[in-house]
Amino acid sequence: MRIHMVGIGGSGMSALARLYLQQGHHVSGSDESDSPALRDLAALGAVVHAEHDVRYLGDADLVVTSSAVPAEKPELVAAREQGIPVLKHAQALGELFNSQRGIAVAGTHGKTTTTSMIAFVLERCGLRPKFQVGGELVDLDTSARWGVGEWMVVEADEFDRRFLEYRPEIAVLTNVEPDHFEYYDSVEEMEGAFVEFMGRVAPGGTIVACAHEVRLSHLLRHVGGRRIVRYGIAPQDGTASPGPTRRPGWDWWASDVELTPGGSRCRVWREGDGRSVDLQLRLQGRHNVLNALAALAVCHLVGVPIAVAAGPLGEFHGTRRRFQLAGEGAGVRVYEDYAHHPTEVRVNLEAARLLVSPPGRLWAVFQPHLHQRTEGLFDEFVRAFDAADRVLLTDVYSPSGREPERAYRSSHDLVEAMARPGASYVPEAAAARAGLLAELRPGDVVVVMGAGPINALARQLADDLQRTPSPPVAPSPAGSPAGASGAQPQRDSRPPSPRGEERGPAGEGAITEGARDA
C-alpha cells in the first residue's frame, strides 16, 4: 500500500510512519519545513518533502494527517476530491492497534513513561511487542517498533478524544485531572471521555488504575464488566508486614519506598502472594514508583512474572525530554522535562530537590503552554514551584489557531501571584539564558520545563556551562531575578532540532505543525 502523510514531521506522525515502513508499506509525506524527523524518515526509505503540494499526493491509497494540519490544506482537499480515504493520526494508529492484542495507557500524567516502561520490559523479556510511545525511549533509541509479538502497547491521549479510537484488552489509567481546556468545555465533559475510553476496554478485559486518585476511583464506578486492578504506595508505618501497610482493595502496592538522588528503591507486593520483590529504579520521584507499579501489573497480566519484570525495569533509563539530563558544566547540572501541567511541574521539582546539596540551589525555568491551561489552572501553577529556590517564567507558548484570542492572565501575573522574592518573569528564553549564566554557581541544579520550544534552552545552557573555563560568578542577593549529587542519567548527545522541534515524539503533532500534542 502507498500511504501519504500530511504533517509527517510531527512527532507522533513520524513514529507512525516508522510503523508503516516496518510493515513494508511505501510511505511519502510532506511538512512545512525540513527537520531531523524528515531526514531520519528519508534514511529509512520514506519519500519526504519540506513543503505541502498536491503533486506529492501521487497515486496514494491512503492519506493520514495530523490534527495539527488545517483541513483546507491542498493535499487534503485533493485527496477528498479524488475519493482517497483520509484518516487522522489516531484513527490510523487505532486501525493497527485494534488488529492486535492491545495495551493502552491513558491519564493526565505519567502515560509516556508508563507506556515506555511496559514496552521496554516486554522487549527485554523476549515478547517483542509492537509499540508507539509519546516519547523516544533512551534505551531503544526509538518511539515506535513493529515487533513480531502478539501485544501492541500505545500511549492513549485524551486530547481530541484520540484515545476513543482504541479497543484495548488492557487499559492503564494513571490519573485524571482537569486539562485541555481548549478542547473540553468542562471538567465533566473530560471525565465523560475517560469513562467512554474505559468502556472501550474489551468485555472481560482489565483496567489497571492508580488507587490514590479520588477522581479516577469515582469514574471507575461507572464501568462494569471489566476487572479492576488497583495499585498504590503503602503508608510508611514502619512495619515489615504487607497486611497492615496496604489499603483494602489494592492488588499491587509498594512498601518501604526510599527516594534517592540516584532513583528509588522499594518492595513490591501483589495480593495473594506473601512474598515481596525488591525493586530499584534509575528514575527519580515517587510518581515513577507508581508508574513502575502499573507497568509491573500489566507485565504480570501478559505472563511476565514480577521477579522477571523487575530486572529490566531497574535498567530502564527513561524517555527523552522526561527529566533528562541535558548536560552539566562548571559544577551545574541542567535537566529538561516536557512538564506543562502544575502537577507535573510539582513532582519534577520535588524529585530534583534530592539532587541539590547546600549551598546549591534548585532553579525552575518554565514556559507555560497554552493560555487556557495557564488560566484554568492558575492557582495550581502558583503553588507548583514551592520546591524551587529560584523560578524563571517565560511568556506563554500558544501555537497559532490552538485557542481563542481573548484576555488571559499571563506569566507575569503568575509571578506576581507567587509573591516570593525568588520568582522572576523573563519574557524571552534568550534573556533567561543570559540571566542564568550570570547567576548560576557550582552545586546548582536547573530544571527547564515546558511543552514548547523551551527545550532548546536546556541544551544551549548546558553547552554554555561546558564551555565555561571557571565557575560562574557568585550569586546575587536572594531577591534578585534570575552542588548537585546523585544520579547520572544518560544525556541525549544529539543537537537541538531547528525551531525547538523534538526528535522524539510527545504526542501526535510536533512543533512543525502547530504543537497540538500537549
Side-chain angles (χ1 to χ4, degrees), residues 232-236 245 250 252-257 266-269 289 293:
I233 296 177
Q236 300 286 80
T245 63
W250 289 14
W252 291 77
W253 64 98
S255 68
D256 305 296
V257 176
C266 66
R267 299 169 68 190
V268 176
W269 304 83
V289 175
L293 284 172

Coordinates of all heavy atoms in Angstrom, one line a residue, residues 232-236 245 250 252-257 266-269 289 293:
G232 N -0.9 1.1 44.4 CA -0.6 2.3 45.1 C 0.7 2.1 46.0 O 1.3 1.0 46.0
I233 N 1.0 3.2 46.7 CA 2.2 3.1 47.6 C 1.6 3.1 49.0 O 0.8 3.9 49.4 CB 3.0 4.4 47.4 CG1 3.7 4.4 46.0 CG2 4.1 4.4 48.5 CD1 4.5 5.6 45.7
A234 N 2.0 2.1 49.8 CA 1.5 1.9 51.1 C 2.0 2.9 52.1 O 3.1 3.5 51.9 CB 1.9 0.5 51.6
P235 N 1.3 3.3 53.1 CA 1.7 4.2 54.1 C 3.0 3.7 54.7 O 3.2 2.5 55.0 CB 0.6 4.3 55.1 CG -0.6 3.8 54.3 CD -0.1 2.8 53.4
Q236 N 3.9 4.6 55.1 CA 5.2 4.2 55.7 C 5.0 4.1 57.2 O 5.2 5.1 57.9 CB 6.2 5.2 55.4 CG 6.5 5.4 53.9 CD 7.3 4.2 53.3 OE1 6.7 3.2 53.0 NE2 8.6 4.4 53.1
T245 N 0.0 -2.6 55.8 CA 0.6 -1.4 55.1 C -0.2 -1.1 53.9 O 0.1 -0.1 53.2 CB 2.1 -1.7 54.8 OG1 2.1 -2.8 53.9 CG2 2.9 -2.0 56.0
W250 N -6.6 -3.0 47.3 CA -5.4 -2.9 46.5 C -4.9 -4.3 46.0 O -4.9 -5.2 46.8 CB -4.3 -2.2 47.2 CG -4.6 -0.7 47.5 CD1 -5.7 -0.1 47.4 CD2 -3.6 0.2 47.9 NE1 -5.6 1.3 47.7 CE2 -4.2 1.5 48.0 CE3 -2.2 0.1 48.2 CZ2 -3.6 2.6 48.5 CZ3 -1.6 1.3 48.6 CH2 -2.2 2.5 48.7
W252 N -1.9 -4.4 44.0 CA -0.4 -4.2 43.9 C 0.0 -3.0 44.8 O -0.7 -2.0 44.8 CB 0.1 -3.9 42.5 CG -0.1 -5.1 41.6 CD1 -1.2 -5.5 41.0 CD2 1.0 -5.9 41.1 NE1 -0.9 -6.6 40.2 CE2 0.4 -6.9 40.2 CE3 2.4 -6.0 41.4 CZ2 1.2 -7.9 39.6 CZ3 3.1 -7.0 40.7 CH2 2.5 -7.9 39.9
W253 N 1.1 -3.1 45.5 CA 1.5 -2.0 46.3 C 3.0 -2.0 46.6 O 3.6 -3.1 46.5 CB 0.7 -1.8 47.6 CG 0.9 -3.0 48.6 CD1 1.7 -3.0 49.7 CD2 0.2 -4.2 48.6 NE1 1.6 -4.1 50.4 CE2 0.7 -4.9 49.8 CE3 -0.8 -4.8 47.8 CZ2 0.2 -6.2 50.1 CZ3 -1.2 -6.1 48.2 CH2 -0.7 -6.8 49.3
A254 N 3.5 -0.9 46.8 CA 4.9 -0.7 47.2 C 5.0 -0.3 48.6 O 4.3 0.5 49.1 CB 5.6 0.3 46.3
S255 N 6.0 -0.9 49.3 CA 6.3 -0.5 50.7 C 7.7 -0.2 50.8 O 8.5 -0.4 49.9 CB 5.9 -1.7 51.7 OG 6.8 -2.8 51.5
D256 N 8.1 0.4 52.0 CA 9.5 0.8 52.2 C 10.1 1.6 51.1 O 11.3 1.3 50.7 CB 10.3 -0.5 52.5 CG 9.7 -1.4 53.6 OD1 9.6 -0.9 54.7 OD2 9.3 -2.5 53.3
V257 N 9.4 2.5 50.6 CA 9.9 3.3 49.5 C 10.9 4.3 50.0 O 10.8 5.0 51.0 CB 8.7 4.1 48.9 CG1 9.2 5.1 47.8 CG2 7.7 3.2 48.3
C266 N 12.3 0.2 46.6 CA 11.1 -0.2 47.3 C 10.9 -1.7 47.3 O 11.6 -2.4 46.6 CB 9.8 0.5 46.7 SG 9.4 -0.1 45.1
R267 N 9.9 -2.2 48.0 CA 9.5 -3.6 48.0 C 8.1 -3.6 47.3 O 7.2 -2.8 47.7 CB 9.4 -4.2 49.4 CG 10.8 -4.2 50.1 CD 10.6 -4.6 51.6 NE 10.2 -5.9 51.8 CZ 9.8 -6.4 53.0 NH1 9.7 -5.6 54.0 NH2 9.4 -7.7 53.1
V268 N 7.9 -4.5 46.4 CA 6.7 -4.6 45.7 C 5.9 -5.9 46.1 O 6.5 -7.0 46.1 CB 6.9 -4.6 44.2 CG1 5.6 -4.8 43.4 CG2 7.6 -3.4 43.7
W269 N 4.6 -5.7 46.4 CA 3.8 -6.8 46.8 C 2.6 -7.0 45.9 O 2.1 -6.0 45.3 CB 3.2 -6.5 48.2 CG 4.2 -6.2 49.3 CD1 4.8 -5.1 49.5 CD2 4.8 -7.2 50.2 NE1 5.7 -5.2 50.6 CE2 5.7 -6.5 51.0 CE3 4.6 -8.5 50.5 CZ2 6.4 -7.1 52.0 CZ3 5.3 -9.1 51.5 CH2 6.2 -8.4 52.3
V289 N 7.7 5.6 41.0 CA 7.4 4.3 41.7 C 6.0 3.9 41.3 O 5.7 2.7 41.0 CB 7.5 4.5 43.2 CG1 7.1 3.2 43.9 CG2 8.9 4.9 43.6
L293 N 4.8 0.5 39.3 CA 3.8 -0.5 39.7 C 2.8 -0.8 38.6 O 2.4 -2.0 38.5 CB 3.1 0.1 41.0 CG 3.8 0.1 42.3 CD1 3.1 0.9 43.3 CD2 4.1 -1.3 42.8

